[in-house]
Amino acid sequence: MAEADGATAAPRPDPDPDGVAWIEPPLCTKCGVLVRIYPTNYDRWVSLAMVELPAKDVPEAFRWRLARVPGRSPIPTDIVAVRVRGIDPLPSEPVVPAHRMMCIPEWGEP
């Protein structure tokens, strides 16, 4: 399931609790563009694009949403990526595309 969804990214390393360095999003090793890496709701990690797009512009296989994990406090503590399945979103509804949809080397090399 993870391979079919493209959820094959490596998890981000935990930041050093004593570190004061700014934490930047990682770069894609294939195209060099910034990506967002989030855990999925089934214990894998996925690379997502930095922008949201209308659902009509993103093929079904690449649609993700970011969901807040409910906790004991009213302040959300974690966010997970959830594949958009079952009920199709409205064409204008924003979704987060998987980075592999936008990664130019993924389109195939001549």
Side-chain angles (χ1 to χ4, degrees):
M1 184 165 132
E3 282 190 34
D5 287 346
T8 57
R12 294 200 60 184
D14 288 332
D16 180 14
D18 296 328
V20 293
W22 184 259
I23 299 173
E24 293 287 333
L27 296 173
C28 173
T29 57
K30 296 178 182 175
C31 66
V33 174
L34 294 173
V35 295
R36 296 189 284 181
I37 298 178
Y38 281 100
T40 66
N41 56 335
Y42 50 89
D43 202 28
R44 295 288 187 263
W45 294 76
V46 64
S47 297
L48 300 176
M50 296 294 286
V51 297
E52 288 185 344
L53 296 174
K56 66 180 180 180
D57 296 337
V58 180
E60 262 184 63
F62 301 105
R63 294 178 185 164
W64 291 82
R65 284 202 178 102
L66 298 177
R68 295 171 191 229
V69 175
R72 294 181 185 195
S73 78
I75 300 169
T77 56
D78 204 5
I79 296 176
V80 295
V82 179
R83 275 274 286 120
V84 177
R85 292 193 176 150
I87 300 173
D88 287 335
L90 296 173
S92 61
E93 195 173 341
V95 295
V96 181
H99 173 70
R100 66 187 177 122
M101 179 191 106
M102 304 179 88
C103 187
I104 294 173
E106 289 289 325
W107 292 352
E109 297 177 7

